[in-house]
Amino acid sequence: MEPQKPPPRPRQSEGCLVVAVRLPVRIVVLVLVVPVRMLWDAGVVAGRVLRDTVLRPVGRALLWLGRALFVWPLVALWRYLLVPLGTALGLLGRVLLVVPAVWLYRWVLTPVGHALAWAARGIGAGIAWLVLGIGAGLALLYARVLTPLGHGLVWVVRGIAMVLGALGAGVYAVVAWLVRHLVVVPAVWLWTWVLAPVGRAVAWCVRGVVRVLSMAVTGIGLVLYRIARVLFVLPALALWRWVLVPVGRFLAVVAREVGAALGHAWRVAGRISLAVGRFLGTVLRWIVVEPLRWVYRGVLTPVGHLVRDAVLRPAAKAARGVGRAVREALASARESARQARADFRRMLFGDPGESEAVARREPDGHDTRTLDRSTTALTKD
């Protein structure tokens, strides 16, 4: 389904100011735009002619010259010098480096590596047996000597820790009782009966001062707001509403009409430029092109046909006859030279012997190979 087009918007009614501004603006803009549009169209036509007659052939010639000077020599250098040289260097590197390296790896390094691996396995097995023996001795030492000694040390340390814990608990109880009766109880009494009432009184005073200051600031701010509104806001609002907005609307109408007049004048100037161009083209065609066409059709074409029929075709026919005679003479001369060489060779070496007939592997004539006969080269004999 095709999407539905939105309904056209209703055209708004235009005021008398728009109608009064539109006509003079369009006349002035049309007078200013017509020469510019004609110069633009003339420049476009000149640019197209320059592109088709000069730039494009020059570009093609430069492209061909660039290919002839850079691309083709580089391709020839790559194809006939670098590729064979690279192939030769690759073959030389393979013969001088790869093949000796493969031979060295296969017949020298591999046996030496196998021997070193066998020796390393033997040394590793000996070290493993030595480590196992040392580990067994250390395990026996740990189980028979160090374990009983450690148990005795743990029992002694546990007894010392119990004694020290009992002493520490007694000291902590005494210190806690002293701190509670000498520090905590006086601090709680001081907070409850001195600091809390004083803080409440100070807070009440601060709240009162803050409330008084806030009321004073609010009153001063209200007075300043009224003064600023009367001195600045109301004049600025009146200036915006009664001066700037009407002037802005008028300038917007003028700018819109100037833009519309520019577009309309550009289109009208295009029509005028097209008509002038067609008129000039017609005048040029009737003054230059048609006389040249008439001269070509009425004078040059009959003269060219006469020259072709009376001069060129007989000359070409005579040239073809001369060429044919020359070719026949050259053919007879070649045949005479070939016969002379054969007679000279026969005089020196005698007549050549006849060659013996060779049995053919393919059947002749009606005995050709078929699918139902054994006449192939493998089953013929």
Side-chain angles (χ1 to χ4, degrees):
M1 295 178 62
E2 297 182 356
Q4 296 181 357
K5 296 182 179 180
R9 297 180 178 178
R11 187 175 181 179
Q12 298 179 357
S13 60
E14 299 175 347
C16 60
L17 180 61
V18 177
V19 178
V21 170
R22 178 178 300 166
L23 185 60
V25 168
R26 288 195 175 185
I27 293 173
V28 173
V29 171
L30 180 62
V31 172
L32 296 176
V33 167
V34 167
V36 177
R37 180 59 187 265
M38 295 185 69
L39 290 176
W40 175 266
D41 292 339
V44 170
V45 173
R48 290 177 180 174
V49 172
L50 181 65
R51 181 195 63 186
D52 296 336
T53 57
V54 178
L55 297 180
R56 187 172 292 172
V58 170
R60 290 177 179 173
L62 291 177
L63 180 61
W64 184 87
L65 184 62
R67 289 180 180 175
L69 292 179
F70 298 102
V71 178
W72 294 340
L74 291 177
V75 170
L77 179 65
W78 170 263
R79 183 176 297 173
Y80 299 109
L81 180 62
L82 296 180
V83 172
L85 183 62
T87 305
L89 290 177
L91 182 61
L92 185 63
R94 185 175 182 275
V95 171
L96 295 179
L97 298 177
V98 178
V99 173
V102 170
W103 181 86
L104 179 66
Y105 174 78
R106 182 176 295 175
W107 301 106
V108 177
L109 296 180
T110 300
V112 171
H114 290 171
L116 291 176
W118 180 81
R121 283 197 296 270
I123 294 171
I127 293 173
W129 281 103
L130 181 62
V131 169
L132 288 176
I134 294 172
L138 292 176
L140 182 63
L141 177 65
Y142 174 77
R144 301 300 181 184
V145 178
L146 297 179
T147 301
L149 182 61
H151 289 171
L153 290 176
V154 168
W155 183 80
V156 172
V157 170
R158 187 179 297 171
I160 294 171
M162 290 176 64
V163 173
L164 292 177
L167 293 175
V171 172
Y172 174 76
V174 172
V175 172
W177 185 84
L178 292 174
V179 169
R180 185 173 183 278
H181 287 83
L182 294 177
V183 178
V184 176
V185 172
V188 171
W189 181 86
L190 180 63
W191 171 263
T192 303
W193 301 104
V194 178
L195 297 179
V198 173
R200 291 190 186 97
V202 171
W204 183 82
C205 294
V206 170
R207 281 198 300 268
V209 172
V210 169
R211 185 174 300 175
V212 172
L213 291 176
S214 64
M215 292 175 65
V217 170
T218 302
I220 295 171
L222 183 60
V223 172
L224 292 177
Y225 167 73
R226 294 293 183 181
I227 294 172
R229 187 171 184 273
V230 172
L231 294 179
F232 299 103
V233 176
L234 294 179
L237 183 62
L239 178 65
W240 171 262
R241 182 176 297 174
W242 303 108
V243 178
L244 296 180
V245 171
V247 172
R249 289 178 180 175
F250 176 74
L251 293 178
V253 170
V254 172
R256 185 173 67 248
E257 290 302 324
V258 168
L262 283 174
H264 182 72
W266 187 262
R267 292 190 294 272
V268 173
R271 299 292 180 86
I272 296 173
S273 177
L274 181 62
V276 172
R278 288 179 178 176
F279 173 74
L280 293 178
T282 304
V283 171
L284 182 64
R285 182 167 62 87
W286 286 106
I287 292 176
V288 179
V289 177
E290 290 297 333
L292 291 178
R293 184 182 296 175
W294 179 82
V295 170
Y296 176 76
R297 289 182 178 178
V299 179
L300 297 180
T301 301
V303 171
H305 290 174
L306 180 63
V307 171
R308 181 191 63 186
D309 297 334
V311 178
L312 297 179
R313 283 184 179 175
K317 186 175 181 181
R320 284 195 296 270
V322 171
R324 190 180 302 110
V326 170
R327 285 194 298 273
E328 291 177 357
L330 291 176
S332 63
R334 284 195 297 272
E335 185 65 27
S336 300
R338 188 181 300 111
Q339 187 66 32
R341 287 196 302 272
D343 294 339
F344 182 74
R345 192 165 45 249
R346 189 181 302 108
M347 182 180 64
L348 291 177
F349 303 104
D351 294 332
E354 297 181 355
S355 59
E356 298 180 357
V358 180
R360 297 177 60 187
R361 299 292 293 174
E362 297 292 334
D364 297 331
H366 61 277
D367 294 333
T368 56
R369 286 188 298 212
T370 58
L371 295 176
D372 55 351
R373 295 183 183 179
S374 298
T375 56
T376 61
L378 298 176
T379 59
K380 181 177 179 181
D381 297 333

